[in-house]
Amino acid sequence: MNVTNTTKNCDFDSDVQCDTIYGLRIGFGTLSLFGCFFILVSIALGRTYRNFAQRLIMHLTIAALFSTVPYFMGSQDDGPTCILQGFLMQWQDASVLLWIGCLTHSLYLNVVRLEESVKNEKWYMAISWVLPFGVACIPLIANKYGNAGLWCWIVNDSWMRFGLWYGWLVFGVIGLFASNIYIFHRVSNKNRQWQGTYNQDVEAEKEFLQKQVKPLIYYPIVYLLLSIFPLINRVQNAANPDTPVFWLYVLHTISSPLQGFCNVLVYISNQESNFWHQWTVSNVKRALGTRRASVHEFDISNDELEDHMVPNDEDSTA
């Protein structure tokens, strides 16, 4: 992609600054795409979608993948492509935020209330896919998507931007920060209580947390860290829309597309030592040709877990 042709819609006077922003956006967006594809292929190869925690990661990865696509569309003049870019950014950025919220809610149920969260999967999908789609349609109907400088989004309408994104982002970041501190505190307390003890109930609870909590617990932290500079830049944009700050845009441009890449680092860190053995030609062919197995929330058959879990009408345990 020839980024120098897109500088006509850049907020900065220097072509070098504009080309730097576009180059960073494409470069880090490419890393994110590779990360997302790696996670999705790994889940397919290992057929770990039978585990509910892994399905949450899968949904989050799909949202992160689609949220990266607009970064490859350049800076467009007003028109259908510009509208599509703005719509995708609004829809998928909100979807990533809501999937992180649903993932945190699942952790809360698992850690604090010791409940299964698979029963909420349909609600999670409705909240994180359908709701942001409907919200993204509001600027579309109001004809508010257009060139916003470095990319297409909601044109200068502070109230609509705050109501449809800034407000969600600020509320979401504060809520995620508080919730995850509490969850980490509860997990730490459990680990201290378990030291030097052994019984079947404790081991069953440990295995449940290992299957359902450990794979998820760091994704909200990654999202919070990556949201810091985009949030600061958006606040500065709202306060001084005619005075963009180049270094804030650089940090924003680096942080925003990195969700998929950072997620894959977390994903790999949670894998077993034999994880790389599944990446063979025969396994790839088998994954593509094997029918999807029945869905389970976690792959342990431990009767003692029933003493710790609230009964669920759905047959979701292995």
Side-chain angles (χ1 to χ4, degrees):
M1 181 178 293
N2 185 359
V3 296
T4 59
N5 291 334
T6 62
T7 57
K8 58 188 176 183
N9 292 324
C10 181
D11 286 336
F12 301 101
D13 295 330
S14 169
D15 287 348
V16 174
Q17 290 179 318
C18 294
D19 290 345
T20 299
I21 295 294
Y22 291 123
L24 289 172
R25 188 167 67 181
I26 293 172
F28 285 98
T30 301
L31 287 177
S32 187
L33 282 180
F34 277 118
C36 291
F37 280 120
F38 183 89
I39 293 175
L40 294 175
V41 172
S42 297
I43 290 174
L45 286 176
R47 290 175 286 183
T48 54
Y49 44 74
R50 292 174 292 180
N51 180 292
F52 179 56
Q54 296 297 314
R55 292 203 302 281
L56 287 176
I57 295 172
M58 181 182 70
H59 284 294
L60 173 62
T61 301
I62 293 172
L65 189 153
F66 282 111
S67 72
T68 305
V69 171
Y71 292 103
F72 293 90
M73 299 174 70
S75 181
Q76 303 291 330
D77 290 324
D78 291 339
T81 305
C82 182
I83 293 173
L84 176 61
Q85 184 185 41
F87 180 85
L88 284 175
M89 291 189 72
Q90 176 64 35
W91 178 23
Q92 293 304 313
D93 285 354
S95 184
V96 170
L97 172 61
L98 290 172
W99 273 116
I100 291 291
C102 290
L103 189 148
T104 301
H105 180 260
S106 177
L107 287 172
Y108 172 80
L109 292 180
N110 294 160
V111 173
V112 178
R113 300 180 61 176
L114 289 175
E115 293 181 14
E116 299 171 1
S117 51
V118 66
K119 60 187 177 182
N120 298 315
E121 185 170 10
K122 292 181 180 179
W123 286 107
Y124 290 166
M125 293 180 69
I127 291 170
S128 301
W129 289 124
V130 180
L131 177 60
F133 179 86
V135 171
C137 287
I138 296 175
L140 182 65
I141 295 171
N143 195 28
K144 288 292 186 178
Y145 286 125
N147 185 274
L150 288 168
W151 43 70
C152 294
W153 188 47
I154 300 171
V155 293
N156 292 326
D157 186 327
S158 298
W159 288 107
M160 182 169 285
R161 286 183 174 186
F162 182 83
L164 300 186
W165 179 238
Y166 295 143
W168 289 38
L169 183 60
V170 172
F171 177 79
V173 167
I174 294 173
L176 288 171
F177 183 77
S179 300
N180 282 278
I181 286 179
Y182 181 67
I183 290 170
F184 265 93
H185 176 70
R186 291 297 296 265
V187 171
S188 298
N189 284 344
K190 287 180 181 294
N191 287 333
R192 285 195 295 269
Q193 292 171 6
W194 289 335
Q195 289 179 357
T197 62
Y198 178 86
N199 63 60
Q200 290 183 333
D201 291 344
V202 168
E203 293 305 309
E205 189 173 343
K206 282 183 181 179
E207 182 140 8
F208 174 75
L209 294 180
Q210 179 75 13
K211 293 285 185 179
Q212 297 302 317
V213 174
K214 184 176 179 290
L216 300 179
I217 198 164
Y218 292 107
Y219 290 95
I221 304 303
V222 167
Y223 182 84
L224 287 171
L225 293 176
L226 293 178
S227 296
I228 293 173
F229 291 115
L231 180 58
I232 294 173
N233 189 41
R234 292 302 191 188
V235 171
Q236 192 279 332
N237 292 162
N240 297 288
D242 298 325
T243 311
V245 178
F246 176 68
W247 67 269
L248 279 179
Y249 267 95
V250 168
L251 294 174
H252 182 169
T253 303
I254 292 173
S255 301
S256 289
L258 269 184
Q259 185 73 47
F261 178 72
C262 292
N263 284 352
V264 78
L265 298 181
V266 175
Y267 182 82
I268 292 174
S269 70
N270 284 324
Q271 302 307 310
E272 302 290 339
S273 58
N274 63 349
F275 167 72
W276 297 104
H277 296 168
Q278 70 183 9
W279 285 84
T280 62
V281 175
S282 59
N283 281 346
V284 171
K285 290 181 178 179
R286 185 178 63 204
L288 295 176
T290 304
R291 293 179 59 190
R292 180 172 176 170
S294 59
V295 170
H296 302 280
E297 177 165 7
F298 48 90
D299 299 325
I300 55 175
S301 55
N302 216 324
D303 294 334
E304 285 77 13
L305 270 179
E306 296 179 359
D307 297 331
H308 297 277
M309 311 295 295
V310 173
N312 185 12
D313 292 336
E314 298 184 22
D315 183 16
S316 58
T317 56

